[in-house]
Amino acid sequence: MPKDTFFNLTQDKRARVVEALKAEFAEHSYTQASVDRVTASAGISKGSFYQYFNDKLDAYTHLVRELMDARIDVQDAPVPEVPFDVVLRAMVLGSRDFFRRDPRGWAVLARALSADAPVVLGSDETVNAGVHRWAVAAITAGQESGELRTDVDPETAAWMMEKVLLSVPEYVVARFGVSPRQAAKDGSAFERPEIAAVADDVVVMLVAALMPRPQNRTGGRPHG
């Protein structure tokens, strides 16, 4: 977690530091990334860097977390009024298309899937609390409208959604043999039809898990 001195920077200077981090980790693996290059690019001293972050890992973890928030891209959005499956599909597709919106950010996240990268994706530090609150609110709204089943805890359902969405890239890389290094340079690797089908399957299964269970003819829950 960055120190208070980082968050106390002006918005422009903080953005400059983040862009320098993004450029460095987009072009280099974690082990090859250089704090010296980051400070030179950001126009700050090395001493200042360590006033903002504990170390390189601290800065990297913060960057990946910020990029994951941007990839999911919902935390500042209002609770949607469209059907839940539409919301979820937009989240999955928006996440998949992140490389178009932010090529450098995409490259950082792609490299984060490499074997030599610190385990940051999927950790409890990955998702901003704002994303979680949005997911809980969206699920609660769906339950209140009768669209989603009410016998599921919204907090637990939101946690499940987050974990699944965060894990899809790692699963795709492992299953389809996508090279994180190549994906960092060419995001279109994730546009292959078989990979797009995985995104569709994720939506179908998550929606099915949260849809109300069909009642039997007597009005009760089905047995078995």
Side-chain angles (χ1 to χ4, degrees):
M1 184 71 176
K3 301 175 183 179
D4 289 342
T5 49
F6 175 74
F7 295 108
N8 289 335
L9 293 174
T10 64
Q11 185 174 352
D12 287 346
K13 189 169 185 178
R14 191 165 64 245
R16 194 166 71 243
V17 172
V18 170
E19 284 302 312
L21 288 169
K22 190 189 297 185
E24 182 66 14
F25 289 112
E27 293 296 325
H28 304 278
S29 68
Y30 176 81
T31 54
Q32 294 175 333
S34 164
V35 171
D36 288 338
R37 284 195 296 262
V38 170
T39 56
S41 176
I44 61 174
S45 68
K46 198 168 182 178
S48 293
F49 179 90
Y50 290 108
Q51 287 180 345
Y52 307 151
F53 306 102
N54 291 322
D55 48 29
K56 182 171 77 170
L57 178 59
D58 188 29
Y60 177 75
T61 301
H62 173 70
L63 176 66
V64 171
R65 182 178 181 179
E66 291 294 301
L67 291 174
M68 285 303 304
D69 289 348
R71 195 193 103 185
I72 298 174
D73 195 28
V74 296
Q75 64 172 322
D76 294 323
V79 174
E81 298 180 356
V82 296
F84 185 74
D85 62 329
V86 175
V87 174
L88 194 55
R89 188 173 301 278
M91 289 175 67
V92 171
L93 294 179
S95 177
R96 190 186 69 186
D97 294 340
F98 179 58
F99 74 90
R100 293 194 186 93
R101 305 197 309 269
D102 187 353
R104 274 186 173 173
W106 169 271
V108 174
L109 294 182
R111 286 185 179 277
L113 298 170
S114 300
D116 62 346
V119 180
V120 176
L121 292 180
S123 73
D124 291 339
E125 292 296 318
T126 304
V127 178
N128 189 294
V131 175
H132 181 76
R133 285 194 298 270
W134 182 92
V136 170
I139 292 168
T140 301
Q143 290 176 327
E144 291 174 349
S145 70
E147 181 190 1
L148 303 182
R149 55 191 291 185
T150 58
D151 60 337
V152 172
D153 174 37
E155 289 278 348
T156 302
W159 172 84
M160 179 185 72
M161 280 175 49
E162 293 159 10
K163 291 297 183 182
V164 170
L165 291 174
L166 291 172
S167 300
V168 168
E170 185 175 4
Y171 169 70
V172 165
V173 164
R175 178 176 174 181
F176 298 105
V178 177
S179 163
R181 181 178 297 180
Q182 184 60 35
K185 298 178 180 178
D186 181 14
S188 64
F190 282 81
E191 290 190 316
R192 290 157 47 182
E194 62 270 31
I195 295 178
V198 168
D200 288 337
D201 287 344
V202 166
V203 172
V204 168
M205 287 186 282
L206 284 176
V207 170
L210 294 172
M211 288 292 107
R213 296 175 181 174
Q215 294 182 333
N216 61 25
R217 293 182 180 178
T218 62
R221 294 293 186 190
H223 296 288

